[in-house]
Each structure stands twice: as structure tokens, then as C-alpha cells.
Amino acid sequence: MILAVISQIPYGRVATYGQIAKLAGLAKHARLVGKVLSQLDEGTDLPWYRVINAQGKLSLNKLDAKGQNTQQLRLSQEGIFVNQGKVNLKQYQWDGWS
DNA sequence: ACTCTGACGGAAT
DNA sequence: GATTCCGCCAGAG
């Protein structure tokens, strides 16, 4: 389920954990969603980087050699502006409309 | 069975 | 905003 929902997040949009959970049928299991994502491997096709917490903040904030973290990088590549490790949900959050 | 921990959420202060 | 508290699930020890 969870993976299915995430794979449905449209380009240039982001979704929150709770949102994913709800759409997947798991109302209060936001945490489980994060759990699942943490199990994903690097070569996954899922746009996991479009998944952020309800506060618009990126999840794993681990920096790479370039001083950037993969998530922020990939997001900006899709036109999503990330400020101070945060995203304007009002502007980018996926409505679940597609 | 119990305690901790974790890519979380929401409400209250 | 920043903190604090509580709820919730699953895995490890």
C-alpha cells in the first residue's frame, strides 16, 4: 500500500507521512510509513524524497561530500524550492488529487 | 512481558 | 515559532 501511494505522488509535489499513511488506509501509522521508507534501498524507483514530515521539514538531513543531502537535491531538481531544510507545504503538498 | 528507539503527528502551552 | 507530552506501530535486546 504505502509504496503504492508514494509511487503516485506527482512530479513537483510532496506528501507528508501522515498523508501517505491515511491514503494507504493506515490513519495513525505515520511512523510505520517512515519505517517502510527506511527499509528501502538506494536503487528504488519510488520517489521517497517527495515524502517529508508534516512540518515541511526534510527527513534524513545527512549531508554528502558536496554539503548537500540527496533529498533536497532531488527535490530542487524537480522545481521544489527548499528553504532551511524546509518546504512550503501550502505550495507543494500533494492534495491527493492527481 | 518490558523498555528503547525511530525518515511521525497533533494538540496544548 | 519553540517545547513538551502523549499516541501509535514494529523490531531488537
Side-chain angles (χ1 to χ4, degrees), chain A residues 1-48:
Chain A
M1 289 285 110
I2 300 179
L3 302 179
V5 177
I6 297 177
S7 63
Q8 289 165 39
I9 304 176
Y11 178 91
R13 289 290 183 63
V14 297
T16 66
Y17 291 89
Q19 201 178 354
I20 300 294
K22 186 159 41 172
L23 291 176
L26 309 165
K28 312 258 179 155
H29 304 63
R31 220 160 182 161
L32 181 57
V33 176
K35 197 78 166 167
V36 173
L37 290 187
S38 67
Q39 320 293 289
L40 294 176
D41 39 86
E42 312 171 4
T44 187
D45 307 319
L46 294 171
W48 60 271

